[in-house]
Amino acid sequence: MALRQLILNKKIQERSAKITALRADEDKLKDEEKELEVALDEAETDEEVKVVEESADELEKKIKEKSDEISKLEDEKAELETELAEIEAEQTDEDTDEDEEKIKDGEKRKMGKKVEVRNTQDNKDFANYIRTQGLETRSLNTTSGAVLVPVEVSTNVLELKDGQVDLTAYVTSEVVGTGSGKFPVAKRATAILATKEELADIAEIADPLFIDVEYSAKTRIGQIAFSNELIEDSAIDVVAYAEKQMQRMVRNTNNKGILDVLNTFAVKNAIGADGLKSIVNIELDPELDTKFVVDQNAYQFIDTLKDSQGRYLLQDSIAFDSGKSLFGKEVIVISNAVAPKAPTGGIGFVWVGDLAEAAAYFKRSDITAVWEKFDAFSKGLAVGVRSDYKTVDEKAGVKVKLTAE
């Protein structure tokens, strides 16, 4: 069954390539047709008109031949695609039946390959775009030579439902409709209500209710390489493969962008556990939803801190997504690979504060992809997302120079 699918895919790709080449030839012939129209306008004698007429007849004949050949190839291709779709539908049904049997029998086996079961037309066309190496876009929307990644895929990528640390889940996150502008972010209220006498004007609120944050969503490009085996093996879900790679790139990019923002905050010194507790109790407003963001080096140090009775201060906590807490505050651990450098003399990168009040993540909802040959040995999708990362309230957190003594 898989061999038949490979053969059909190969035939579809061959016809797609021929159709693309023929359409290019057809466009050249139509350009020649326009040149003949100009020549006809400039013709002054019957002899010149006759020459143009003969050329036009020959050209019209060539255009019709190309058009007929394209129509024939498109019909053949459509028949092959129908046959392939029927085979894939049968295989999907068979796999579904097998999965149901496995559940009944209590079997739990990991499969090395996954059949494409994404049934939306956009997902099928995106898979076809990959398998034809960018030759066919079908129903996919395009922009500036790239295709828009299907909504189902881009949503999964941007929401990052893969269980890994995603700092965009903690900061203020907004989808924007334009590439740049100002976005009003609600500010933590510190003003108090003023006394108002009857018929008197209402006093102005001293503290603004919103902070206008300027953003400029920059395009960020990454590469997803595909081997020939991935492209040609119809038993592999190429859309799921692309989605997984996009998730990794987007998560790493977002975390790096947000950490760069946090790295701009004022630095406070802290010696051991008492110093960290002083930061939480004194340096930060108690109304903040304070959290610790630490790299692996700082986490290792914090994980060994004990109280006077020898009990570890870092606690497991089901109340927080990260599963860890210190002084009742969530501890979020980020990789050393993306963490900013620790302050000189500090144990590791440590930031303490309210992430939602401190930073904002602006994103466009669409993801673009274009098939490219990266170099002589690799090819795949060049994937683009548009995002920006900005400071909201510089008083909502501090960077910490943590030392043991």
Side-chain angles (χ1 to χ4, degrees):
M1 185 76 78
L3 180 59
R4 181 59 182 161
Q5 287 172 294
L6 287 174
I7 293 171
L8 289 171
N9 270 317
K10 188 69 175 176
K11 288 182 176 180
I12 291 169
Q13 290 174 20
E14 288 173 353
R15 280 155 182 76
S16 295
K18 288 179 181 178
I19 289 170
T20 301
L22 286 169
R23 280 181 176 153
D25 293 341
E26 191 178 39
D27 289 340
K28 290 178 182 177
L29 292 174
K30 287 179 180 178
D31 289 339
E32 291 181 25
E33 192 174 38
K34 291 177 182 178
E35 292 174 3
L36 285 178
E37 289 176 2
V38 174
L40 182 61
D41 288 338
E42 296 175 350
E44 296 178 352
T45 66
D46 290 343
E47 186 64 29
E48 290 175 340
V49 171
K50 186 177 179 181
V51 170
V52 173
E53 186 178 11
E54 289 174 354
S55 298
D57 289 341
E58 182 66 24
L59 187 60
E60 189 176 343
K61 181 180 176 182
K62 289 180 180 178
I63 291 175
K64 187 177 184 307
E65 288 174 353
K66 296 289 182 187
S67 180
D68 290 344
E69 196 170 352
I70 289 171
S71 296
K72 181 183 175 184
L73 285 169
E74 285 179 336
D75 290 341
E76 291 176 2
K77 183 181 158 194
E79 290 177 5
L80 291 168
E81 288 173 340
T82 300
E83 185 179 349
L84 179 61
E86 290 173 353
I87 292 174
E88 289 179 339
E90 289 175 6
Q91 187 165 342
T92 300
D93 290 340
E94 290 173 6
D95 290 343
T96 301
D97 292 340
E98 288 177 8
D99 289 342
E100 289 176 353
E101 286 299 319
K102 288 176 184 177
I103 291 171
K104 289 177 182 178
D105 295 340
E107 292 182 25
K108 293 182 179 178
R109 289 183 286 178
K110 292 184 178 179
M111 305 299 289
K113 293 181 179 179
K114 187 166 67 174
V115 176
E116 272 182 29
V117 294
R118 296 168 179 263
N119 293 321
T120 66
Q121 190 59 48
D122 281 350
N123 284 338
K124 288 181 179 179
D125 290 346
F126 187 49
N128 184 69
Y129 178 79
I130 295 171
R131 294 198 189 284
T132 61
Q133 301 185 42
L135 290 176
E136 294 184 25
T137 59
R138 295 190 182 177
S139 68
L140 298 174
N141 293 321
T142 59
T143 174
S144 302
V147 299
L148 293 180
V149 174
V151 173
E152 179 186 341
V153 177
S154 61
T155 298
N156 289 340
V157 169
L158 293 174
E159 292 184 358
L160 296 172
K161 299 175 180 177
D162 61 357
Q164 303 300 314
V165 175
D166 171 27
L167 293 179
T168 64
Y170 295 94
V171 302
T172 296
S173 180
E174 299 290 348
V175 177
V176 292
T178 57
S180 61
K182 291 184 178 180
F183 197 95
V185 177
K187 185 179 180 182
R188 179 170 43 89
T190 57
I192 61 174
L193 298 176
T195 302
K196 177 187 177 298
E197 300 296 336
E198 189 173 355
L199 300 181
D201 293 336
I202 298 175
E204 290 187 5
I205 296 175
D207 204 25
L209 299 177
F210 293 92
I211 299 174
D212 284 332
V213 181
E214 292 189 12
Y215 68 88
S216 178
K218 299 176 179 63
T219 300
R220 305 169 197 277
I221 302 294
Q223 296 178 343
I224 301 176
F226 283 82
S227 65
N228 288 330
E229 290 77 11
L230 268 175
I231 297 169
E232 295 171 4
D233 192 340
S234 60
I236 295 177
D237 188 342
V238 289
V239 174
Y241 172 80
E243 182 180 301
K244 184 176 181 180
Q245 299 305 315
M246 280 188 271
Q247 281 183 330
R248 288 175 177 172
M249 289 191 299
V250 169
R251 181 181 60 248
N252 291 340
T253 301
N254 289 342
N255 285 348
K256 179 66 167 58
I258 292 168
L259 288 167
D260 286 345
V261 170
L262 302 184
N263 197 38
T264 64
F265 279 65
V267 179
K268 298 291 181 179
N269 296 322
I271 301 175
D274 289 343
L276 289 174
K277 185 171 286 189
S278 177
I279 295 287
V280 173
N281 293 344
I282 299 173
E283 299 294 341
L284 298 174
D285 191 318
E287 291 188 2
L288 292 172
D289 182 15
T290 300
K291 299 180 187 298
F292 290 89
V293 179
V294 301
D295 68 6
Q296 292 167 267
N297 294 330
Y299 179 77
Q300 168 60 25
F301 175 76
I302 291 171
D303 195 25
T304 62
L305 293 176
K306 298 178 182 179
D307 63 15
S308 58
Q309 297 180 356
R311 295 173 298 190
Y312 286 106
L313 296 177
L314 188 68
Q315 300 291 315
D316 293 329
S317 175
I318 61 173
F320 300 119
D321 291 337
S322 67
K324 296 292 182 181
S325 70
L326 179 67
F327 313 138
K329 311 297 182 183
E330 183 173 9
V331 177
I332 302 165
V333 184
I334 43 105
S335 169
N336 283 346
V338 295
K341 289 183 178 180
T344 303
I347 290 172
F349 177 79
V350 180
W351 187 90
V352 188
D354 188 329
L355 287 164
E357 296 278 349
Y361 161 52
F362 299 100
K363 63 182 176 181
R364 301 293 299 273
S365 59
D366 52 350
I367 299 177
T368 59
V370 62
W371 188 269
E372 287 188 357
K373 187 171 183 180
F374 303 139
D375 52 41
F377 306 101
S378 60
K379 57 192 173 183
L381 291 175
V383 178
V385 298
R386 287 177 289 178
S387 58
D388 197 12
Y389 316 89
K390 293 292 184 181
T391 301
V392 177
D393 185 354
E394 59 187 14
K395 296 180 180 179
V398 295
K399 187 167 65 170
V400 179
K401 178 182 176 181
L402 177 62
T403 56
E405 55 182 34

